[in-house]
Amino acid sequence: MKKMLPICSLFFLLLFLIPSLSVKAAAYEPDFEPVSQGVILVNLDTEAVVYEKNADLRLEPASTTKIMTYIIAAEHISDLEGTMITAKKEVLDRLDGTGSSTMSLRDDETLSAMDLLHGLMIRSGNDASLVLADYVCNGDINQFVEMMNQKAQELGCQDTHFTNPHGLHDENHYTTARDLYLITKYAMTLPNFMEISSKVSYVLPATNKQETRRITTTNHLINQNAEGNYYYMYAKGIKTGAHDQAGYCLVSTAIRNGYSYMCVALGAPSVDENGNSISDHGEMRDSKSLYQWAFSDLEMKTIVSETDTVTDLPLLYSWDQDTILLTAESNFSTILPAGVSTSSVLMETNLPDEVEAPVKKGDVIGTATFSYAGQVLTTVNLVAAESVERSELLHAMDIVQNVVTSTWFIVIASVLSVLLAAYIVLAILYNKKKKKLRKVKKYKDL
């Protein structure tokens, strides 16, 4: 089985590969409290976190686990359309008695990896996840799980550990809203991921065991025909999850008026205190409400541009100028409440007292840190806006002045002066004594 490097969607690849452009915006409070235990809402255009609730709390992800399952399968099956995979009886038997969601695979049924990925993401098939894991690792599903954990570490996840590829309950199977955002952000760069996860339904072709059949998404946020008032026309994908211990979970995105967001909502109540099932999907209501709030109350604002002069500093050793202008190394935009002026964003600089020529345009001189409402948004480098040559004459004069006024020079000069004075005094005394001796000798000779 050949491995492949994914052919990435350009837009989402840029989002993932340019973390230097990302910022953490101040988290703003909507006028409602989400019922989900762990929530994060991220603006994908800037990677600004605009809302979070217990975003680093370890929670069971249920079937949102399958986002990572998709990643490992898609990166290790080179031909998704052409690779045919047979579901083994012993693999399907692992789900006996679990009552879990499946795409209704049968023993020895053969279908393409692409069809299995559709069943994985649209119908949340636990059977699809096991069959894919079994195929990728030649029967060793534990190895597949280890690959999931390794990938999580590579993506910077701090509080994630998988024990299976489907998300059924296990106390050692957990993640956080923030980690799941990182995982999903990466998955969005993989081929077919967003296309598959945004489909409301899909017709599986006939196989050696079954006729054609239609599978329908478990995500009511994108299915206007589903029960409940969950449908949101701007939502796309991605994955649901639910079991009693995890509660209701949802990872989704929404795009409107040029803005794009991802919401991860984990642990909405699915059973009450008596163990009775709760039919209301709080995770979907939370996600929809957060999207509506973000699109209506928040907007992108440019805080500083590369062309903006941020400040100036005294300049040494230049013949014809005594200051140098500093600009931001890169543009910085972030999400702010619609009614907030950019003047409300505070800037604190970290700069030297002065700059010495020569200076090249673009040289990093210091930094500027921007904050709003007491929370740091980002730090950008401040660079020289122009190149300035050094005057060698001024530089040499300064060196001489520094040498002459230095403590060591003064001490040495003082010591030499004392020694010189002592030498002169001794020389005078010696000459006087010598003259006196000559007079005494002359007298004796008479």
Side-chain angles (χ1 to χ4, degrees):
M1 178 169 47
K2 298 180 179 178
K3 295 184 179 181
M4 74 168 189
L5 292 175
I7 303 171
C8 301
S9 164
L10 179 59
F11 173 72
F12 292 117
L13 180 61
L14 290 176
L15 285 179
F16 183 77
L17 294 179
I18 314 180
S20 60
L21 297 180
S22 66
V23 295
K24 182 179 181 182
Y28 315 116
E29 294 300 321
D31 57 359
F32 60 91
E33 174 70 17
V35 299
S36 301
Q37 292 186 61
V39 182
I40 192 168
L41 179 67
V42 184
N43 176 268
L44 293 176
D45 309 300
T46 62
E47 297 187 18
V49 177
V50 298
Y51 177 81
E52 58 181 273
K53 172 187 174 181
N54 300 324
D56 298 307
L57 176 66
R58 289 182 178 180
L59 296 166
E60 288 197 53
S63 283
T64 61
T65 297
K66 296 182 176 79
I67 297 171
M68 180 60 86
T69 304
Y70 184 104
I71 291 173
I72 303 303
E75 289 191 333
H76 291 83
I77 301 175
S78 59
D79 182 5
L80 297 176
E81 293 279 4
T83 299
M84 303 305 294
I85 302 175
T86 299
K88 302 174 184 176
K89 182 180 184 303
E90 61 269 24
V91 172
L92 298 180
D93 286 348
R94 287 174 173 241
L95 298 175
D96 287 349
T98 63
S100 57
S101 62
T102 70
M103 61 177 293
S104 301
L105 293 176
R106 295 182 180 176
D107 298 348
D108 297 322
E109 183 173 7
T110 299
L111 63 172
S112 71
M114 183 66 78
D115 289 334
L116 284 170
L117 290 177
H118 278 78
L120 179 80
M121 299 302 294
I122 297 174
R123 196 58 208 159
S124 196
N126 289 349
D127 47 359
S129 66
L130 289 173
V131 170
L132 285 165
D134 177 77
Y135 175 80
V136 169
C137 291
N138 298 313
D140 190 346
I141 294 177
N142 289 332
Q143 182 185 348
F144 187 92
V145 174
E146 181 58 31
M147 293 164 67
M148 294 170 66
N149 287 318
Q150 290 175 359
K151 193 68 177 183
Q153 291 183 357
E154 291 174 13
L155 297 178
C157 296
Q158 301 294 317
D159 293 284
T160 294
H161 183 261
F162 298 112
T163 61
N164 59 65
H166 41 61
L168 289 178
H169 169 60
D170 188 304
E171 291 182 354
N172 293 316
H173 189 96
Y174 54 81
T175 188
T176 67
R178 196 183 311 279
D179 280 1
L180 195 49
Y181 156 70
L182 294 175
I183 292 168
T184 307
K185 183 182 69 166
Y186 178 78
M188 291 168 72
T189 69
L190 300 182
N192 308 300
F193 179 80
M194 285 304 297
E195 178 187 354
I196 293 174
S197 64
S198 296
K199 289 181 179 179
V200 174
S201 65
Y202 177 72
V203 176
L204 290 166
T207 67
N208 60 321
K209 293 290 183 175
Q210 299 189 67
E211 299 296 326
T212 59
R213 59 200 188 276
R214 181 180 296 274
I215 55 176
T216 303
T217 183
T218 56
N219 185 357
H220 299 339
L221 203 66
I222 63 174
N223 184 3
Q224 60 183 327
N225 297 318
E227 295 181 359
N229 187 28
Y230 307 117
Y231 176 69
Y232 186 59
M233 64 183 299
Y234 303 106
K236 293 185 178 297
I238 291 177
K239 191 70 197 73
T240 61
H243 59 65
D244 289 353
Q245 293 80 7
Y248 290 129
C249 306
L250 176 65
V251 180
S252 60
T253 65
I255 302 173
R256 182 183 182 188
N257 296 334
Y259 291 86
S260 56
Y261 287 90
M262 183 195 300
C263 183
V264 179
L266 302 177
S270 61
V271 293
D272 61 22
E273 57 186 10
N274 297 318
N276 299 316
S277 177
I278 296 175
S279 60
D280 185 69
H281 283 262
E283 83 291 7
M284 295 191 187
R285 294 200 187 281
D286 287 345
S287 300
K288 180 178 179 178
S289 296
L290 284 169
Y291 287 138
Q292 290 173 326
W293 165 73
F295 287 129
S296 63
D297 288 16
L298 306 178
E299 62 182 31
M300 183 92 68
K301 298 188 179 185
T302 299
I303 307 303
V304 66
S305 301
E306 294 179 6
T307 56
D308 294 341
T309 298
V310 176
T311 187
D312 60 3
L313 284 179
L315 179 66
L316 304 180
Y317 311 141
S318 174
W319 189 261
D320 55 358
Q321 69 182 82
D322 55 8
T323 62
I324 187 167
L325 301 178
L326 303 183
T327 62
E329 186 177 42
S330 58
N331 299 329
F332 168 57
S333 297
T334 192
I335 300 295
L336 291 174
V340 171
S341 169
T342 56
S343 61
S344 299
V345 176
L346 303 180
M347 180 184 73
E348 182 178 352
T349 59
N350 183 11
L351 295 167
D353 294 331
E354 55 196 13
V355 179
E356 297 180 359
V359 180
K360 290 183 179 180
K361 182 177 181 179
D363 282 352
V364 176
I365 306 301
T367 61
T369 298
F370 296 93
S371 60
Y372 173 75
Q375 183 173 343
V376 173
L377 302 177
T378 195
T379 298
V380 299
N381 288 332
L382 297 181
V383 299
E386 57 185 325
S387 296
V388 181
E389 297 298 327
R390 181 172 69 184
S391 168
E392 297 302 334
L393 176 60
L394 292 177
H395 186 241
M397 291 172 60
D398 187 68
I399 292 176
V400 171
Q401 181 182 1
N402 289 335
V403 170
V404 172
T405 58
S406 68
T407 301
W408 285 108
F409 181 87
I410 293 172
V411 170
I412 292 172
S414 299
V415 171
L416 291 176
S417 297
V418 170
L419 292 175
L420 179 60
Y423 173 78
I424 293 173
V425 169
L426 291 174
I428 292 173
L429 293 175
Y430 175 77
N431 287 333
K432 286 183 177 181
K433 185 175 181 180
K434 191 174 181 180
K435 287 180 180 179
K436 185 176 180 181
L437 290 174
R438 282 200 297 266
K439 287 182 179 179
V440 171
K441 183 179 180 182
K442 184 178 181 181
Y443 176 78
K444 288 181 177 182
D445 291 341
L446 294 175

